[in-house]
Amino acid sequence: MNVTDKTIRHVAREANVSVTTVSRVMNGSEKVSPATREKVLKAAEKLHFTPSRTAIALVTKRTRTVGVVVPYLDNSIFSSMIHEIEQTLSELGYFLVIAVSNNRIEEETKSADRLLAMGAEGLILSGADHDAALLSRLGVRNIPVIFTSIWNEAAEYPTIGYDNFGLARIAVRHLEKLGHRSIAVLHGPSDRSDRTRERIRGLVEGKSDRTTLLFFEGEVSAEAGARGTRRALERSPKPTAVIGLSDIIALGAIFEANRQGLTLPADLSIMGFDNLEWSEECCPRLTTLELPTRRMARAAAEAIVAKLETDQPIAPICFDGSLIIRESTAPA
Amino acid sequence: MNVTDKTIRHVAREANVSVTTVSRVMNGSEKVSPATREKVLKAAEKLHFTPSRTAIALVTKRTRTVGVVVPYLDNSIFSSMIHEIEQTLSELGYFLVIAVSNNRIEEETKSADRLLAMGAEGLILSGADHDAALLSRLGVRNIPVIFTSIWNEAAEYPTIGYDNFGLARIAVRHLEKLGHRSIAVLHGPSDRSDRTRERIRGLVEGKSDRTTLLFFEGEVSAEAGARGTRRALERSPKPTAVIGLSDIIALGAIFEANRQGLTLPADLSIMGFDNLEWSEECCPRLTTLELPTRRMARAAAEAIVAKLETDQPIAPICFDGSLIIRESTAPA
DNA sequence: CATTTGTGTGGAAACGTTACCACTTGACGG
DNA sequence: CCGTCAAGTGGTAACGTTTCCACACAAATG
């Protein structure tokens, strides 16, 4: 990689052994006498030898790299997911390459191909909804894939995630128990995200017949949350509760409610989804659904490495999330 | 990389030409007759041939990969910076690998080494404050490095960023012009971030003698912002303004002020730093300093590629930020 | 004592490209 | 008609590892 870089051959000469032997001690493997091992280690040290990952990759046909593509990076649980994956991978001696898709199928496809081109041996994707051509390409190349942030046993690839449907149902029931019968739902682009669709389905199927849901679609941003809230409050009768299918959307709702002079949660209950870092600090503190992001991330990373190392099949896992009741929801 | 992967040799045989010729057409370079080119392209297509990046890297000693390590990913301008760098790099035919340091020198050092191990040929770091051993390692290996998010002509490596000092001075003067004389400053760990130190210095040196600054240090989070605000409001006389050296800190301040029943901005002016996506949507809309993140990111990516390609020296650049006055600041 | 079994070591062929050099054409100018 | 040149093409040695195979030698076995 560099002018000053030494190769295994330099080390071999320095230690007066064969390249084979150097290779052996560098890999800690095989039978090498302690004396020889010591000699080699000393020589390597002296020459500042670093094995060429490129050469290793070429001959072993292994890059020890996994790719993950997430819909967003900012204001989302995905950044903590990435962090956990990176940590796990690193512990296992693997590398991580990432890309963001902005929740767009075409961008995701492009990103995934890019990650593959970078040498990713396995892919962790979000949701189960992907470009068919991409999936078939992954299939023929026999690339291990895991779908995360979702739970769907019928998906083309194993899912390691959580039950968006069930969680959303918990959310709507919480609101119903408080007496809310007219609820505004603020969500991101549903056609681009099966996670969102699942949540919406959970809301719809989880609610009782007496409850009315009003849907407002926008981006996953505070701005969209504010706008959705504005539109919701123009309706009559006004909804008594708002649920943002992302905390950042809920935050926008809080901003807008504040701006309209409402008293929270008395005038309007607001719920989020994600339990982001600031959610607890919010005013009012945000009632939300905690997602098992870290556990999920770790499990996914471990599973894909296991698949890569020993080719053992990836077992789908569904982690539990939980309702966190705080101050932003109150009786209707 | 895969069982089904074809090599350049397969293509050569299929097209009935030499590997050299295939190589030439794959690189679009050199003289190849249109007929031959066509033949080769067709063969490559037919065999689903993808050149092995690993092999190319081995022989060319080029990975076309640059690494960037950022202090944080979430709630920060860094995620948009990453996004812009990735885009630029991608346009230039380069790859990006990233790591996050949590603003810790040791973690940054580990991350940087990891990125190097992954094959990064150049590094983009945040701030100018880094582990001396790392820097010397980069020096001997002759790795191009750019420091971003800061402006410091005296730094060991070229800086492409903005003037934290000057921007902070603008901030404090804005508050002074509104009549604020007692200002609470909420900031992240200053010993771990020269960007923060620069901002603090800008505040201190920019203020007039009649103004008092109260400093509260914490993490870069809403929670820390809230706590700092709480402590600040216990002082007497109470500060009439709060400036968070990150928008997320300012957000925490807003939450806490709301919680204490203050009317914003009448009872307390609040300023941020970053102009994150939700800052405009905030209630009250947040007065903050907009940072030239995207321009900076693009410039850094372009500069490091130029350095890698043609070895032309990296010219330091200082981009302008700007004060965005919104509703969260008012006369004292 | 002859044979087998380990144990430690080295030689050299891959891995999939690029890049240097050499070669074959046919065209062109003198 | 010969020499020169350019365009197009191919042969092959790298690049830095791993891994298969072979081998030397000592210890254990019959």
Side-chain angles (χ1 to χ4, degrees):
Chain A
M1 226 60 63
N2 205 275
V3 193
T4 64
D5 273 3
K6 297 304 181 186
T7 79
I8 207 176
R9 246 174 278 273
H10 294 120
V11 179
R13 191 167 320 134
E14 174 76 25
N16 220 346
V17 296
S18 71
V19 295
T20 306
T21 301
V22 177
S23 173
R24 278 196 269 255
V25 352
M26 294 320 289
N27 292 300
S29 66
E30 310 263 346
K31 296 283 162 194
V32 179
S33 78
T36 316
R37 153 165 289 117
E38 203 52 38
K39 240 189 340 184
V40 170
L41 253 19
K42 204 155 293 172
E45 173 90 6
K46 176 175 170 192
L47 300 182
H48 292 105
F49 169 69
T50 324
S52 156
R53 228 173 69 84
T54 302
I56 296 175
L58 180 62
V59 63
T60 61
K61 297 171 173 310
R62 295 291 320 274
T63 60
R64 298 180 81 80
T65 297
V66 349
V68 9
V69 10
V70 293
Y72 309 103
L73 219 43
D74 208 5
N75 295 128
S76 72
I77 39 153
F78 296 111
S79 69
S80 68
M81 168 176 139
I82 295 262
H83 204 267
E84 189 74 17
I85 292 181
E86 137 83 15
Q87 190 145 320
T88 309
L89 250 22
S90 155
E91 287 166 11
L92 297 171
Y94 273 68
F95 294 99
L96 169 68
V97 290
I98 77 162
V100 2
S101 70
N102 288 309
N103 223 350
R104 302 207 131 81
I105 293 263
E106 329 82 60
E107 278 193 60
E108 180 185 63
T109 305
K110 232 188 74 200
S111 294
D113 283 328
R114 243 180 110 62
L115 296 183
L116 256 20
M118 289 180 76
E121 298 183 88
L123 242 37
I124 297 180
L125 305 178
S126 303
D129 206 16
H130 307 279
D131 181 44
L134 171 65
L135 256 26
S136 98
R137 227 171 305 149
L138 296 174
V140 309
R141 293 191 49 185
N142 197 28
I143 307 274
V145 176
I146 294 180
F147 294 156
T148 58
S149 306
I150 201 164
W151 170 243
N152 179 356
E153 289 194 273
E156 287 103 317
Y157 284 102
T159 56
I160 293 186
Y162 39 82
D163 178 16
N164 290 278
F165 175 87
L167 258 15
R169 191 169 47 189
I170 291 176
V172 74
R173 290 189 177 164
H174 167 65
L175 255 16
E176 284 187 333
K177 199 146 62 176
L178 289 172
H180 296 281
R181 290 294 170 267
S182 174
I183 304 172
V185 180
L186 277 28
H187 60 86
S190 62
D191 60 326
R192 304 196 231 132
S193 165
D194 52 355
R195 289 162 293 118
T196 298
R197 284 198 300 277
E198 280 294 284
R199 291 178 191 184
I200 290 177
R201 205 167 60 80
L203 257 21
V204 171
E205 298 186 20
K207 81 176 181 68
S208 80
D209 292 341
R210 307 178 312 253
T211 301
T212 316
L213 261 24
L214 290 80
F215 293 94
F216 299 90
E217 177 164 330
E219 290 304 309
V220 180
S221 69
E223 193 278 330
R227 183 166 27 181
T229 304
R230 211 173 306 134
R231 287 168 51 201
L233 293 176
E234 285 166 0
R235 298 292 185 90
S236 83
K238 284 185 190 176
T240 59
V242 169
I243 169 161
L245 259 25
S246 265
D247 276 359
I248 187 71
I249 295 180
L251 181 64
I254 291 180
F255 288 153
E256 181 61 26
N258 279 156
R259 197 168 288 124
Q260 302 214 3
L262 301 182
T263 303
L264 301 181
D267 296 341
L268 188 68
S269 280
I270 298 181
M271 271 194 82
F273 219 107
D274 286 350
N275 193 31
L276 297 186
E277 194 206 24
W278 47 260
S279 303
E280 182 172 9
E281 207 51 50
C282 231
C283 178
R285 298 182 194 278
L286 190 64
T287 294
T288 190
L289 280 128
E290 176 169 53
L291 270 18
T293 324
R294 311 199 88 94
R295 279 176 296 154
M296 171 189 88
R298 174 161 290 270
E302 285 170 347
I304 209 153
V305 168
K307 169 77 177 178
L308 253 16
E309 301 269 293
T310 65
D311 200 49
Q312 58 190 255
I314 298 168
I317 314 178
C318 180
F319 289 101
D320 287 332
S322 62
L323 173 66
I324 301 189
I325 300 176
R326 290 198 276 240
E327 305 162 357
S328 69
T329 49
Chain B
M1 224 61 66
N2 204 275
V3 192
T4 65
D5 272 5
K6 296 303 180 187
T7 79
I8 207 175
R9 245 173 279 272
H10 294 120
V11 180
R13 191 166 320 134
E14 174 77 24
N16 220 346
V17 297
S18 72
V19 295
T20 306
T21 300
V22 178
S23 174
R24 278 196 269 254
V25 353
M26 294 320 289
N27 293 298
S29 66
E30 311 263 345
K31 295 286 164 191
V32 180
S33 77
T36 315
R37 153 164 289 116
E38 205 51 40
K39 237 187 346 181
V40 170
L41 253 21
K42 204 155 293 173
E45 173 90 7
K46 176 176 171 191
L47 300 181
H48 292 106
F49 168 70
T50 324
S52 156
R53 226 174 69 85
T54 303
I56 296 177
L58 180 62
V59 63
T60 61
K61 296 174 174 307
R62 295 291 319 272
T63 60
R64 298 179 79 81
T65 296
V66 348
V68 9
V69 10
V70 294
Y72 310 104
L73 218 42
D74 208 5
N75 295 128
S76 70
I77 38 155
F78 295 111
S79 69
S80 67
M81 169 175 139
I82 296 264
H83 204 268
E84 189 73 18
I85 293 182
E86 137 83 15
Q87 191 145 320
T88 309
L89 250 23
S90 155
E91 286 166 12
L92 297 171
Y94 273 68
F95 295 98
L96 169 68
V97 290
I98 77 160
V100 3
S101 70
N102 287 309
N103 224 350
R104 302 208 132 80
I105 293 262
E106 328 83 58
E107 278 193 60
E108 179 183 64
T109 305
K110 231 188 74 201
S111 296
D113 283 329
R114 243 179 111 62
L115 296 183
L116 257 21
M118 288 180 76
E121 298 183 87
L123 243 34
I124 297 179
L125 305 177
S126 304
D129 206 17
H130 307 281
D131 181 45
L134 171 65
L135 256 28
S136 100
R137 227 170 305 149
L138 296 174
V140 309
R141 293 192 48 186
N142 197 29
I143 308 273
V145 176
I146 294 180
F147 295 156
T148 57
S149 306
I150 200 164
W151 169 243
N152 179 356
E153 288 195 274
E156 287 104 317
Y157 284 101
T159 56
I160 293 185
Y162 40 82
D163 177 17
N164 289 279
F165 174 88
L167 257 16
R169 192 169 46 189
I170 291 175
V172 74
R173 290 190 177 163
H174 167 64
L175 255 17
E176 284 187 334
K177 201 146 60 174
L178 289 172
H180 297 281
R181 289 295 169 266
S182 174
I183 303 172
V185 180
L186 277 28
H187 60 85
S190 61
D191 60 325
R192 305 196 230 131
S193 164
D194 52 356
R195 287 163 294 118
T196 298
R197 284 199 299 277
E198 280 293 284
R199 291 178 191 184
I200 290 177
R201 205 167 59 80
L203 259 20
V204 171
E205 297 186 21
K207 80 175 179 71
S208 80
D209 292 342
R210 306 179 312 253
T211 302
T212 315
L213 260 25
L214 290 80
F215 293 93
F216 299 90
E217 178 164 330
E219 289 305 309
V220 180
S221 69
E223 193 279 328
R227 181 163 31 176
T229 304
R230 212 173 307 134
R231 286 169 53 203
L233 293 176
E234 286 165 1
R235 298 291 186 90
S236 83
K238 284 185 190 174
T240 59
V242 168
I243 169 163
L245 259 27
S246 264
D247 275 0
I248 187 71
I249 296 179
L251 181 63
I254 291 180
F255 288 153
E256 181 61 27
N258 278 155
R259 197 167 289 124
Q260 302 213 1
L262 301 183
T263 303
L264 300 181
D267 296 341
L268 187 67
S269 281
I270 297 182
M271 270 195 83
F273 219 108
D274 287 349
N275 193 32
L276 297 186
E277 194 206 23
W278 47 260
S279 303
E280 182 172 8
E281 208 51 50
C282 230
C283 177
R285 298 183 194 278
L286 190 63
T287 294
T288 190
L289 280 128
E290 176 168 53
L291 270 19
T293 322
R294 310 198 89 93
R295 279 176 295 155
M296 172 188 87
R298 175 161 290 269
E302 285 169 348
I304 210 152
V305 168
K307 170 76 178 178
L308 253 16
E309 301 269 294
T310 65
D311 200 49
Q312 59 189 255
I314 298 168
I317 314 177
C318 181
F319 288 101
D320 288 332
S322 62
L323 174 65
I324 301 190
I325 300 177
R326 291 198 273 241
E327 305 163 357
S328 70
T329 48

